[in-house]
């Protein structure tokens, strides 16, 4: 997230970490893992579904 130029979708984040983003079943758990840092205040989820750092 910090290396991205702006807010990213879970799909884009999955491509960077090596998740097979062509399979929708692989994106669900990744989105769940991105929501945890949002709940802790480390990331921010925008209304359109993209994630960004809080800074």
């Amino acid at each position: 997230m910090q290396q991205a130029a702006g807010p990213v979708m879970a799909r884009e984040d999955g491509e960077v970490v090596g998740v097979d983003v062509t399979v929708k079943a692989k994106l669900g758990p990744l989105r769940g893992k991105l929501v945890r840092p949002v709940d802790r205040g480390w990331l921010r989820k925008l209304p359109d579904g993209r994630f960004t750092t809080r800074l």
Side-chain angles (χ1 to χ4, degrees):
M1 292 289 168
Q2 292 179 348
Q3 295 174 355
V8 296
M9 299 291 288
R11 177 179 303 274
E12 296 166 356
D13 196 38
E15 290 172 351
V16 172
V17 297
V19 174
D20 184 11
V21 296
T22 60
V23 180
K24 288 187 179 184
K26 302 275 184 173
L27 289 175
L30 179 60
R31 282 189 194 98
K33 289 178 183 176
L34 288 171
V35 169
R36 282 186 213 133
V38 170
D39 292 341
R40 294 178 181 154
W42 300 340
L43 292 178
R44 185 172 156 221
K45 185 175 180 184
L46 301 176
D48 62 358
R50 296 181 299 164
F51 293 89
T52 187
T53 57
R54 292 267 314 152
L55 301 174

